[in-house]
Amino acid sequence: MRENAHPAAGAGGEAAAGAARIGGPGTVLDDARVTEFVSGVLADEDLDGRSVCVVVPDGTRSCPLPLLLSAVHGALAGRVSRLTVLIALGTHAAMDEARLATHLGYPEGGLAARYPGMTVRNHEWWDPDTFVSLGTISADRVGELSGGLLHQAVDVRLNRAVVDHDVTLVLGPVFPHEVVGFSGGNKYFFPGVAGAEIIDLSHWLGALITSADIIGTRGITPVRALIDEAAALIPGRRLALCAVVRSGADELHSLAFGTPEAAWAAAAEVSAETHVRYLDAPVRRVLSVMPEKYEDIWTAAKGFYKLEPVVADGGEVVLYAPHITELSAMHPEIADIGYHCRDYFTKQWDRFRHLHWGVLAHSTHLRGAGTYDAETGEERCRVTVTLATGIPEDVVRAANLNHLDPAAIDPGTFAAGDPDTLVVPHAGEILHRLRTK
């Protein structure tokens, strides 16, 4: 059903988990309703004369950012003393002017005309001067938050643009996520605009739990608890507009506003009902057709994360992405490490502990569940991972993955009436799970 614009009650919509929310599962919000909601909730906030930093996702997430950012700009321009948009790259590649223009909805070179008074910055995670330390989470506290899986203090570094503004507004979508359970909320700070220490620790914690066990988990997972703990160190006010996006489209099912914790919780409720597809029985083979917004395997690996739970033991996931030509643009060391199950690293920890734990986590997330025998050196993974990409075969096989020539694949006929084969168009956002009986 499509929800038409109508007057919002109170702060602009239904109260949900301490946040104002409009829409829900099965709803598609029209643009006027979205703009009305954003204008209403921001009008009620004490933002006059304040400086505001708006943290938004990069191009690897489906989100109607031009619509949302236009609404935010319309509500804040002329009220606030300074308005800055910060692209939450995490450790992804920076977005150039052409991509920023498309992403944020302005003609190339026309930012000032489209969004007067607003500046846009990439999160320059490669530059140490980008960061300021907010403090340290102690080893004992990390142990409590992680349920005993990790006991290591962590320096919480964050992009100084957040600290240099009075208010930070997180603006982005919520989807099932392989590291934290559901993305969004404070995750736009950590890892979105954070330093390597908290990124590595949080991602490795997720890897220890395993992607299959944490992805799509409702509520506060250990990784979410760690992220929220870090976010509590941020000075200034934190607000969030958390969106539930119709996957692969510029349409919204729902939008929630409040603190990052409350808005995220309200959006995650809807995402859990919207972004999860249930199967009655496992399949032997999956073809994940990856959109071009994923430019390397570092990001396109989501086509495996979201499908691993429905693949039978001994089955296969094929990532079909002829446009991809490298494993990782920003983390070339993954080609040397390769892709392995969690136990491959934990049972040889002295060999790997000096490396970026975020890279090790990515390795385990794409390789999935498996075992490693330290005495024999034998690794057995539950599922075969095959790349049908533009990456050379020797590079793929050296990384411990299977290779398939993408020219030999026709996604339209790949299943060929085989009930044990599943083809997933626009893979990477919808989590697939087995229905529990």
Side-chain angles (χ1 to χ4, degrees):
M1 82 185 140
R2 181 172 293 275
E3 180 173 313
N4 296 316
H6 56 79
E14 172 193 359
R21 188 179 77 192
I22 54 172
T27 297
V28 176
L29 299 170
D30 66 31
D31 292 359
R33 181 72 180 104
V34 170
T35 300
E36 177 192 36
F37 176 76
V38 172
S39 297
V41 294
L42 292 181
D44 289 344
E45 294 294 325
D46 180 16
L47 299 174
D48 291 3
R50 313 287 187 187
S51 57
V52 178
C53 180
V54 184
V55 180
V56 303
D58 67 7
T60 61
R61 270 65 174 170
S62 291
C63 185
L65 265 184
L67 167 63
L68 293 171
L69 191 58
S70 293
V72 169
H73 181 267
L76 298 183
R79 289 179 60 198
V80 301
S81 62
R82 184 161 46 112
L83 184 60
T84 302
V85 170
L86 182 62
I87 309 296
L89 296 175
T91 59
H92 297 170
M95 299 186 74
D96 61 19
E97 170 61 14
R99 293 182 181 183
L100 284 172
T102 300
H103 189 50
L104 302 181
Y106 62 88
E108 190 171 346
L111 174 65
R114 178 66 182 83
Y115 296 108
M118 189 178 84
T119 59
V120 177
R121 298 167 55 178
N122 279 295
H123 167 58
E124 297 176 337
W125 55 269
W126 53 88
D127 181 1
D129 291 338
T130 292
F131 299 101
V132 60
S133 177
L134 304 180
T136 301
I137 302 176
S138 71
D140 285 346
R141 183 58 177 153
V142 169
E144 293 174 4
L145 295 169
S146 69
L149 290 174
L150 290 172
H151 292 83
Q152 177 170 317
V154 60
D155 182 16
V156 179
R157 293 191 302 140
L158 191 68
N159 192 300
R160 65 176 62 251
V162 173
V163 178
D164 289 345
H165 288 73
D166 300 318
V167 181
T168 303
L169 174 66
V170 169
L171 177 64
V174 173
F175 285 102
H177 194 270
E178 63 278 2
V179 174
V180 68
F182 281 88
S183 65
N186 285 325
K187 188 177 178 296
Y188 279 90
F189 297 117
F190 308 100
V193 294
E197 299 86 356
I198 189 73
I199 292 177
D200 282 348
L201 188 76
S202 61
H203 278 66
W204 187 239
L205 174 57
L208 291 174
I209 298 170
T210 74
S211 170
D213 282 348
I214 204 169
I215 192 168
T217 298
R218 299 190 189 214
I220 305 299
T221 64
V223 182
R224 174 64 62 175
L226 178 65
I227 288 172
D228 286 350
E229 184 90 357
L233 298 174
I234 299 174
R237 292 179 63 200
R238 292 176 292 116
L239 299 170
L241 279 160
C242 293
V244 181
V245 180
R246 184 180 177 188
S247 180
D250 287 332
E251 296 177 320
L252 296 179
H253 292 297
S254 179
L255 188 62
F257 175 78
T259 65
E261 295 83 3
W264 168 79
E269 289 179 1
V270 181
S271 179
E273 300 295 328
T274 304
H275 295 142
V276 184
R277 176 187 175 190
Y278 290 92
L279 303 185
D280 291 325
V283 295
R284 296 289 302 175
R285 186 173 60 161
V286 172
L287 181 71
S288 286
V289 181
M290 306 311 301
E292 293 200 1
K293 69 181 178 182
Y294 302 121
E295 298 180 348
D296 58 10
I297 295 301
W298 187 271
T299 54
K302 291 181 180 293
F304 175 79
Y305 313 150
K306 299 297 198 302
L307 275 302
E308 180 187 6
V310 298
V311 180
D313 291 350
E316 178 185 30
V317 174
V318 180
L319 298 183
Y320 177 73
H323 64 282
I324 290 179
T325 59
E326 55 190 333
L327 294 176
S328 176
M330 307 308 295
H331 302 281
E333 61 268 38
I334 191 65
D336 298 323
I337 298 167
Y339 290 90
H340 301 279
C341 69
R342 176 196 61 189
D343 292 0
Y344 180 88
F345 296 114
T346 58
K347 292 186 177 181
Q348 304 179 86
W349 192 232
D350 289 343
R351 177 183 168 191
F352 293 104
R353 66 186 306 158
H354 67 285
L355 301 171
H356 277 300
W357 292 4
V359 177
L360 301 183
H362 166 72
S363 174
T364 71
H365 289 148
L366 179 57
R367 203 61 189 88
T371 61
Y372 176 76
D373 188 322
E375 292 186 3
T376 66
E378 182 181 16
E379 180 180 19
R380 291 187 176 183
C381 293
R382 191 183 74 82
V383 175
T384 296
V385 182
T386 300
L387 301 189
T389 67
I391 303 173
E393 180 175 358
D394 61 331
V395 174
V396 172
R397 296 196 183 278
N400 198 36
L401 301 175
N402 275 15
H403 174 271
L404 189 60
D405 183 356
I409 295 177
D410 177 358
T413 61
F414 190 79
D418 180 2
D420 286 332
T421 294
L422 176 67
V423 176
V424 182
H426 198 87
E429 291 178 341
I430 301 299
L431 173 62
H432 290 64
R433 276 183 163 166
L434 294 177
R435 196 182 310 278
T436 55
K437 298 178 180 180

